[in-house]
Amino acid sequence: VFQVSLEGSARKLITVRSALEIENKLAVPLKIRLENTALKVADVKEFELLPRAKLPVPILYCWAKMTARPFVANSYQWKFSDKQVHWCHILDSSDNSLELHESQHAVSPKTPPYRFCVA
């Protein structure tokens, strides 16, 4: 995806970004982890996604392993989900399906997991 904007009165700025976007439809912020082990060893990028926010995945991380966890009150009480987010099979909106993901509590294993769906 290309975005062209003007800087000042005459300079054009062309931004190239990925068409792959992540949208958070939950009521809590999400922490997204992208592990790009295909291009570099131990190349991990994490970012926070606020509720109702949308963010394009950086181009170098489009093929990265993607996991998520709730990020409630800026705490690390929830682990990243064991399941990866799979999106490569989606070629059309009719190919989309819901998958249940779980984040275990990091401090208290007796606490029920935080469950959320990925589409």
Side-chain angles (χ1 to χ4, degrees):
V1 176
F2 296 96
Q3 179 182 0
V4 180
S5 58
L6 285 175
E7 254 187 14
S9 61
R11 188 171 161 187
K12 288 183 182 176
L13 176 66
I14 300 172
T15 305
V16 180
R17 66 173 176 82
S18 168
L20 177 62
E21 290 184 326
I22 301 172
E23 184 176 2
N24 181 5
K25 292 189 176 185
L26 299 176
V28 299
L30 282 175
K31 189 75 145 181
I32 306 294
R33 174 184 278 170
L34 302 170
E35 295 180 58
N36 199 6
T37 55
L39 296 177
K40 280 197 238 177
V41 176
D43 185 13
V44 177
K45 184 174 185 76
E46 292 183 2
F47 55 89
E48 184 179 344
L49 192 58
L50 297 173
R52 294 173 299 285
K54 201 184 282 192
L55 187 71
V57 173
I59 290 176
L60 291 177
Y61 292 86
C62 283
W63 299 104
K65 296 177 186 175
M66 191 183 313
T67 53
R69 70 174 176 85
F71 196 58
V72 182
N74 293 333
S75 73
Y76 291 88
Q77 63 183 344
W78 298 102
K79 296 179 181 180
F80 281 96
S81 58
D82 291 333
K83 246 173 141 177
Q84 294 178 23
V85 176
H86 296 286
W87 60 269
C88 297
H89 66 284
I90 301 174
L91 300 175
D92 188 74
S93 59
S94 63
D95 296 335
N96 202 357
S97 61
L98 286 175
E99 286 186 354
L100 180 65
H101 287 246
E102 291 184 348
S103 291
Q104 300 297 326
H105 200 273
V107 180
S108 175
K110 292 184 180 181
T111 302
Y114 189 95
R115 292 183 175 97
F116 56 98
C117 286
V118 174

